[in-house]
Amino acid sequence: MSTSSLPTRFGSGQAVRRLEDEALLRGAGRYTDDLNLPEQHHLVFLRSPYPHARIVSVDTSTALGLPGVLAVYTGADLVAAGVKPLPGNAGFKRADGVAASPPRWPLAHERVRFVGEAVAAVVAQTPQQARDAAESVWVEFEELPMVVHLDDATQAGAPALCEAAPDNIAAEMRHGNAAATEAAFAQAAHVVALDVVHQRLAALTLEPRSVLAYPDPADGRLTLRMSTQMPSGVRNTIVDTLGLPRDRLRVQVGDVGGGFGMKTGAYPEDMVLAWAAHQLQRPVKWVAERSEEFLSSSHGRDLQSRAEMALAADGRILALRLRSLANVGAYATGTGVAIQLLIGPWVQTSVYDIQTIDFQFKAVLTNTAPTGAYRGAGRPEAIFTMERLMDEAARQIGMDRLALRRRNFIQPAQMPYKNPMGQTYDTGCFEKVMDQALALADWDGFAQRAEASRQRGLLRGQGIATFLEWTGGNVFEERVTVTVLPDETIEVFSAVNAMGQGIATTLAQLVVDVFDVPIERVRVVLGDTDRGDGFGSAGSRSLFTGGSAVRVGAERTIEHAKALAAAELEVAVEDIAYAAGRFSVAGTDLGIDLFALARAQSEQRIHIDSTSTVSGPTWPNGCHICELELDPQTGELQVQAYASVNDVGRVVNPLIVRGQLDGGAVQGLGQALCEHLMYDRETGQLVTGSLMDYAAPRADQSPDFRTEMDESTPCKNNPLGVKGVGELGTIGATPTLVNAVADALARGGYAARAPLLQMPLSAGKLWGLLHPAD
């Protein structure tokens, strides 16, 4: 065996280059739009130009007569055919006990509720023919009053989006003990309050949503090839909505150009593609244009909160009180509501020992695109609010911000620790992680760097965030199949999904750990509901749930194969040992190769279908530290340094983990610095609907990251000891940067302006804070 193929070079803990990259770099990737089939037609959507309107009539006659047009569908057509609306807000209710949200049809029926909602669909031979025909569909709208901003939607007498929510409150939840919190505030030596706004964001995946739906010519069974993180969930929603038997629909996923949570679950467009291909019995493709993604894909964040913290004279936190309004858009989805009313609150108290809380969260309907999962999904909002409060509290009570954190950290001796939301942290050494980050960032050397900046006329700020997050989606079961094939390949199928995060490489490394064979012998197969069901990839669960299942499935395969080897060699199972791809009989030279054993079976393979469960979520945590320079004459800022230490448990592939942490941090910096999806309050139009208007983070805004991992506190809830990592960087970066700006303001004599900071921190906004009278 050559040195390059030694299994130990490709198992856990090794910085293995991503196996996925070779095909992508050669241009051999297989995205949905790369597939084309005979007799394939193309679908284009006609979308509403109005934020709120009644559909008076739809005339499709002209479109149907144009060249190449095969069909035109309207919302009324699908309703008449028995197509159901998409699932609603999953049981989250208002104070009156009603779960309120308008029905969301695959194509708008009777009313449109946001600009960009699909009203009609045209199927034609070419994309241009379909676009031309869509423009000729005549829709008569009757405009209705609309609201796009939280403040307007919650005013008395505001236009209502549905009868069940006359005040536009789709759902609400309260957590904690209001009376105990009030008592804690009454006896507090200090009370700190902040108004915090988390602006609306776009996911901006490189590959837009895309679907190719086609029937099997033999039996009409439908296949959807699409860009999604959750193929099983999409299939289940589509068959329920269209009334198809589950075994009549297959969802396959090839390469996915990014998801960030935006590609979880089924969209209305997916239903329409499936319906069209089923009705026409021919392939139908849709690939979203970038403008469609801005208008109609799930948006992230959009939350405004009033946060108050009560502290004792020594800095101990006595209680936390929050009042939040979440803009969930025109349709309250289960995901969009849960993120703000439940998942974010789960981590609101973060790494601090706080047991007295009073939280009130409301999900508000507006005439905007629905919100859903976006990297971090509720945890960035909660952690940002908590870390901004911590720094402002330290400034206002005159206490060092590190000392304030040390005073309130949950201690290792308190583990397992149950927070006031009933969530149990299995492990965590938060002060230890912070101490490592302080050394990595040279925290104590900041004064000298700040003086050098001052001499150049710049304000230098130092920001910190200490935090944790919850991962897992609370779906802890996963199924895998492991097959040893006669061609000397071990094929592993998992229902977790690749979307650019390198999960196939990491899973292959886990197979190498168990089978002790070169990684070239391992083939990971993902994204096919015919091969197996599972939750998919969301909530940073792919490794700790899916990877644990692969580990268990591989071990079960070895145990099963030992019995087969014992029968082949005519010895007792207890006498069989396995190492480096070979079974041997203890104390003898008898043995059989793993792949020879597979060839010896009647089916010429060794196969295990394995389902396993982890015992709970993971709680990755970290300390992120940022330094920046702010020019008081222009409001321009530049991130100078970024250091972080991250407890993500055991690290399988440090190269991939660092990439996830740094990439996530860039997205967090993007929210802090420049990203903002904005609707015009007077017209309801999306005014940042293209990359000419929506400012995404750029490489020149990103610092050289110094990123380290602490593996000394493995997770106890899964056999790998790993913790989710995909969203941790995003969660930490945003408060770290904003705290650094607040620190720069305070050091420059503008401490009173620090509580007024609101994202994104554009140069104009910062200049206005620095020069309020100019």
Side-chain angles (χ1 to χ4, degrees):
M1 183 180 295
S2 68
T3 302
S4 64
S5 61
L6 284 174
T8 52
R9 295 191 63 230
F10 297 96
S12 292
Q14 302 301 310
V16 176
R17 291 180 180 271
R18 300 195 326 168
L19 303 179
E20 301 93 327
D21 288 350
E22 182 180 353
L24 296 175
L25 291 171
R26 289 190 290 104
R30 298 289 284 172
Y31 297 91
T32 301
D33 198 26
D34 291 322
L35 272 67
N36 292 288
L37 300 174
E39 298 187 17
Q40 174 179 294
H41 280 58
H42 298 266
L43 188 145
V44 167
F45 290 98
L46 176 68
R47 298 183 180 276
S48 172
Y50 298 104
H52 199 193
R54 188 170 71 88
I55 301 173
V56 178
S57 63
V58 183
D59 184 352
T60 64
S61 58
T62 301
L64 285 167
L66 293 177
V69 175
L70 189 62
V72 181
Y73 300 112
T74 68
D77 294 333
L78 271 60
V79 171
V83 175
K84 301 174 184 176
L86 276 72
N89 63 0
F92 289 93
K93 298 179 180 179
R94 295 160 42 86
D96 59 14
V98 175
S101 182
R104 190 181 189 187
W105 301 96
L107 292 173
H109 178 56
E110 296 181 344
R111 283 169 74 179
V112 293
R113 291 181 172 85
F114 66 94
V115 171
E117 185 170 8
V119 176
V122 176
V123 181
Q125 290 178 346
T126 70
Q128 190 58 53
Q129 287 174 333
R131 281 191 286 267
D132 291 342
E135 291 179 0
S136 72
V137 174
W138 176 255
V139 183
E140 183 181 353
F141 292 102
E142 177 189 335
E143 285 192 73
L144 299 173
M146 62 82 192
V147 285
V148 296
H149 196 277
L150 279 167
D151 292 342
D152 299 331
T154 52
Q155 291 294 317
L161 274 76
C162 71
E163 292 182 1
D167 53 3
N168 289 317
I169 305 301
E172 55 190 299
M173 294 189 79
R174 295 198 70 159
H175 308 285
N177 186 319
T181 302
E182 183 63 32
F185 271 81
Q187 68 178 24
H190 307 283
V191 173
V192 178
L194 274 179
D195 291 312
V196 179
V197 176
H198 299 271
Q199 75 272 34
R200 183 172 282 229
L201 303 176
L204 276 185
T205 58
L206 285 176
E207 180 201 19
R209 288 177 295 145
S210 48
V211 183
L212 172 61
Y214 56 94
D216 186 315
D219 62 5
R221 185 170 182 261
L222 199 60
T223 295
L224 259 66
R225 181 66 179 262
M226 62 187 303
S227 182
T228 181
Q229 300 170 222
M230 299 173 63
S232 295
V234 170
R235 180 206 56 199
N236 296 346
T237 302
I238 290 176
V239 296
D240 290 345
T241 302
L242 301 187
L244 297 173
R246 183 170 295 191
D247 63 0
R248 300 295 293 171
L249 179 62
R250 177 187 193 184
V251 176
Q252 286 186 294
V253 181
D255 288 312
V256 174
F260 307 132
M262 184 267 281
K263 293 178 182 174
T264 54
Y267 279 89
E269 291 89 347
D270 305 335
M271 314 292 167
V272 177
L273 266 292
W275 168 259
H278 181 62
Q279 291 298 305
L280 300 172
Q281 285 297 295
R282 67 184 64 204
V284 181
K285 179 191 279 190
W286 168 69
V287 178
E289 296 181 356
R290 185 62 63 187
S291 61
E292 289 184 287
E293 292 293 74
F294 275 109
L295 286 169
S296 61
S297 67
S298 291
H299 296 165
R301 317 289 192 251
D302 210 340
L303 178 79
Q304 62 184 41
S305 304
R306 175 70 173 178
E308 299 172 287
M309 190 160 69
L311 301 99
D314 64 356
R316 181 169 56 90
I317 301 171
L318 302 176
L320 184 64
R321 182 161 56 205
L322 270 83
R323 300 290 183 266
S324 294
L325 297 176
N327 185 345
V328 297
Y331 301 98
T333 67
T335 301
V337 174
I339 284 169
Q340 302 299 355
L341 270 60
L342 190 61
I343 296 174
W346 279 346
V347 302
Q348 184 62 68
T349 54
S350 187
V351 294
Y352 308 113
D353 188 8
I354 306 169
Q355 286 294 320
T356 305
I357 62 170
D358 177 14
F359 299 163
Q360 183 174 337
F361 299 90
K362 296 182 180 181
V364 181
L365 296 168
T366 67
N367 294 112
T368 62
T371 58
Y374 174 62
R375 202 168 190 171
R379 288 97 78 198
E381 296 93 315
I383 296 303
F384 180 91
T385 299
M386 192 70 228
E387 288 305 294
R388 289 286 292 122
L389 273 175
M390 292 298 289
D391 266 29
E392 286 303 324
R395 256 188 297 275
Q396 292 184 31
I397 70 176
M399 187 174 184
D400 178 78
R401 51 187 164 165
L402 301 184
L404 179 62
R405 286 172 166 83
R406 295 186 197 281
R407 180 70 182 85
N408 289 285
F409 277 143
I410 301 163
Q411 297 302 311
Q414 294 177 267
M415 298 294 173
Y417 175 87
K418 182 178 285 189
N419 76 10
M421 289 293 297
Q423 300 298 304
T424 300
Y425 310 159
D426 61 322
T427 61
C429 296
F430 310 127
E431 188 169 10
K432 175 185 174 184
V433 169
M434 184 178 78
D435 286 338
Q436 293 176 72
L438 294 173
L440 184 66
D442 186 22
W443 181 272
D444 292 337
F446 175 78
Q448 183 177 355
R449 298 188 293 276
E451 175 59 23
S453 297
R454 188 192 66 79
Q455 291 180 9
R456 301 197 313 275
L458 304 174
L459 303 177
R460 195 176 187 98
Q462 187 181 41
I464 186 170
T466 53
F467 64 99
L468 59 63
E469 76 136 326
W470 158 94
T471 71
N474 277 6
V475 180
F476 303 127
E477 182 179 275
E478 198 61 72
R479 174 191 174 197
V480 301
T481 61
V482 182
T483 309
V484 182
L485 296 168
D487 66 354
E488 303 198 350
T489 299
I490 300 169
E491 184 177 274
V492 176
F493 172 83
S494 173
V496 301
N497 217 65
M499 48 181 165
Q501 82 277 44
I503 188 62
T505 301
T506 304
L507 296 181
Q509 290 180 259
L510 296 174
V511 176
V512 169
D513 288 346
V514 176
F515 281 95
D516 197 20
V517 299
I519 201 167
E520 294 89 351
R521 300 292 188 198
V522 180
R523 179 167 64 237
V524 176
V525 181
L526 308 170
D528 188 345
T529 57
D530 272 10
R531 294 287 301 267
D533 278 339
F535 184 72
S537 288
S540 298
R541 71 182 295 274
S542 297
L543 180 58
F544 89 85
T545 307
S548 295
V550 165
R551 167 73 172 271
V552 171
E555 291 174 340
R556 289 173 177 173
T557 304
I558 292 290
E559 291 305 307
H560 173 62
K562 282 183 177 180
L564 299 178
E568 190 72 22
L569 299 172
E570 299 181 342
V571 298
V573 172
E574 308 85 65
D575 295 331
I576 295 292
Y578 175 82
R582 182 174 175 80
F583 297 94
S584 59
V585 180
T588 75
D589 58 359
L590 291 175
I592 185 170
D593 178 81
L594 171 66
F595 300 106
L597 181 63
R599 288 190 290 270
Q601 306 309 305
S602 59
E603 295 183 351
Q604 292 208 324
R605 66 172 190 165
I606 302 169
H607 178 77
I608 285 291
D609 191 327
S610 172
T611 299
S612 58
T613 306
V614 298
S615 60
T618 75
W619 302 94
N621 57 89
C623 176
H624 289 212
I625 297 172
C626 168
E627 287 188 25
L628 53 79
E629 288 181 331
L630 173 62
D631 187 339
Q633 299 305 313
T634 65
E636 294 283 348
L637 65 82
Q638 182 67 47
V639 180
Q640 297 296 324
Y642 196 102
S644 70
V645 173
N646 305 274
D647 171 10
V648 294
R650 175 187 170 209
V651 173
V652 176
N653 188 316
L655 184 67
I656 287 175
V657 169
R658 281 194 172 88
Q660 286 287 296
L661 289 166
D662 294 350
V666 170
Q667 284 186 275
L669 296 177
Q671 177 177 0
L673 290 169
C674 55
E675 296 189 57
H676 192 182
L677 270 176
M678 299 177 63
Y679 285 88
D680 184 270
R681 292 175 77 163
E682 300 300 321
T683 65
Q685 297 295 321
L686 183 65
V687 297
T688 53
S690 77
L691 287 170
M692 296 293 289
D693 309 295
Y694 186 88
R698 305 185 308 270
D700 63 357
Q701 293 173 306
S702 302
D704 290 330
F705 291 101
R706 302 179 67 188
T707 305
E708 298 298 338
M709 289 82 73
D710 181 340
E711 298 186 61
S712 65
T713 314
C715 179
K716 296 181 179 180
N717 291 337
N718 64 78
L720 299 177
V722 301
K723 303 176 185 180
V725 70
E727 296 159 289
L728 194 67
T730 304
I731 294 165
T734 310
T736 303
L737 185 141
V738 177
N739 277 344
V741 175
D743 183 60
L745 292 177
R747 292 174 186 273
Y750 303 95
R753 314 276 167 77
L756 304 178
L757 288 170
Q758 298 292 358
M759 301 179 290
L761 300 179
S762 64
K765 189 180 294 185
L766 291 173
W767 190 91
L769 280 175
L770 291 163
H771 306 275
D774 291 358

